């Protein structure tokens, strides 16, 4: 009888320790995920300084984001109006059917892109 009480008491103690260890593990994983998120944000989402415009994979223009500009780009596939205002690059006009590039929000962080597939035009923030 005394052995059964001790066994039950030991089971309860082990269950409490197991639950506590599970909470510590989950908390540690959440903290590690948050640290990783911050590191990725700091490394990959820095403000860029230059918008690079590619046409058919070749660079046709490099424009600093601190200089406002309005540059029409006429290609054999169509027309785009590339614009830099207040440190943000965007495609203001295009004669393509879907207008996805025009509806895309302006970009200013490294690695961000705007793509106009019908015209084979890509705007990417670099440096």
């Amino acid at each position: 009888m005394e052995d059964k009480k001790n066994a039950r008491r030991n089971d309860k103690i082990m269950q409490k320790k197991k639950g506590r260890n599970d909470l510590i593990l989950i908390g540690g994983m959440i903290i590690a995920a948050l640290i990783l998120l911050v590191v990725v944000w700091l490394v990959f989402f820095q403000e860029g300084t230059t918008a690079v415009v590619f046409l058919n994979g070749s660079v046709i223009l490099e424009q600093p984001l601190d200089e406002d500009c309005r540059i029409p780009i006429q290609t054999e596939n169509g027309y785009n109006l590339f614009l830099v205002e207040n440190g943000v690059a965007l495609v203001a006009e295009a004669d393509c059917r879907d207008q996805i590039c025009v509806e895309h929000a302006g970009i200013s962080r490294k690695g961000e892109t705007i793509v106009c597939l019908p015209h084979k035009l890509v705007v990417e923030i670099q440096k």
Side-chain angles (χ1 to χ4, degrees):
M1 180 104 157
E2 194 66 33
D3 288 338
K4 287 184 181 181
K5 286 183 181 179
N6 285 336
R8 276 190 241 148
R9 189 177 312 135
N10 286 339
D11 284 345
K12 287 182 181 181
I13 291 171
M14 290 303 288
Q15 286 177 353
K16 284 183 182 180
K17 284 184 179 179
K18 188 176 179 183
R20 189 177 322 134
N21 289 341
D22 288 346
L23 289 176
I24 291 171
L25 177 65
I26 291 169
M29 290 174 65
I30 290 171
I31 290 170
L34 290 174
I35 290 171
L36 182 63
L37 180 66
V38 168
V39 168
V40 167
W41 180 262
L42 291 175
V43 170
F44 293 108
F45 293 103
Q46 298 174 350
E47 289 293 320
T49 59
T50 305
V52 180
V53 180
F54 297 88
L55 182 61
N56 290 326
S58 299
V59 175
I60 62 165
L61 174 67
E62 291 188 26
Q63 177 65 36
L65 292 176
D66 58 358
E67 297 175 14
D68 290 355
C69 73
R70 186 178 182 91
I71 301 172
I73 301 171
Q74 184 66 47
T75 71
E76 60 188 42
N77 299 317
Y79 166 81
N80 294 82
L81 179 63
F82 170 71
L83 190 66
V84 173
E85 284 185 341
N86 302 321
V88 176
L90 54 100
V91 176
E93 296 175 13
D95 61 359
C96 55
R97 290 185 320 175
D98 56 16
Q99 296 288 299
I100 293 173
C101 56
V102 175
E103 293 172 4
H104 194 288
I107 57 175
S108 63
R109 296 186 182 275
K110 286 183 185 178
E112 290 183 318
T113 60
I114 298 174
V115 179
C116 182
L117 285 178
H119 298 164
K120 300 177 183 172
L121 183 86
V122 177
V123 179
E124 180 179 352
I125 303 299
Q126 294 182 350
K127 302 176 186 171

